[in-house]
Amino acid sequence: QGTMFRCSARCCEDSSASMQEVQRCIERCHAPLAQAQAIVTAELEHFQDRLSRCSLQCQDQAKDALDSGGSEPLVRGQLDACLASCGDQHLRLVPQMARKMRDGLAAIQ
């Protein structure tokens, strides 16, 4: 971030630059930060979407089991186990997600 602020400060040093030129210069300085935020946000959204789909599938299975006459305590136990399995599967994906973020961020610099 220090580099970004130094870059922005240099934009203001040219006294002959118009306000528009200074603004464009500062925007160029901030572009890498915006790219970094976009990479992290996209990865997190993808992760949350996958986890959500897994959870919805568990809920559908529970509803189907109840509709076909399954006992509520049994179905609740199956739902809990299914949701726990979703959590475990997605925890294992965290290192992969972090690596993709790191690779994406490294490509910006």
Side-chain angles (χ1 to χ4, degrees):
Q1 263 193 332
T3 307
M4 184 178 66
F5 292 124
R6 279 194 297 277
C7 177
S8 299
R10 278 196 300 274
C11 293
C12 303
E13 286 169 2
D14 182 359
S15 56
S16 65
S18 71
M19 279 306 291
Q20 262 187 324
E21 287 169 333
V22 171
Q23 185 63 39
R24 274 198 298 272
C25 180
I26 290 172
E27 282 169 9
R28 279 194 302 275
C29 294
H30 287 252
L33 178 62
Q35 284 177 288
Q37 285 174 328
I39 287 167
V40 171
T41 300
E43 281 301 322
L44 289 174
E45 282 176 355
H46 179 63
F47 181 82
Q48 284 179 309
D49 186 46
R50 287 183 64 163
L51 183 56
S52 178
R53 283 200 313 266
C54 189
S55 301
L56 287 172
Q57 203 170 1
C58 292
Q59 290 169 30
D60 286 344
Q61 288 169 3
K63 187 183 179 307
D64 292 344
L66 282 175
D67 289 348
S68 60
S71 76
E72 198 172 321
L74 181 67
V75 172
R76 188 175 297 281
Q78 289 170 338
L79 175 61
D80 287 347
C82 184
L83 292 171
S85 174
C86 284
D88 290 344
Q89 286 170 29
H90 287 79
L91 274 176
R92 286 195 293 271
L93 292 174
V94 169
Q96 180 184 328
M97 178 179 63
R99 191 164 50 250
K100 284 172 79 175
M101 284 183 192
R102 203 167 44 243
D103 291 349
L105 295 173
I108 293 172
Q109 279 133 33

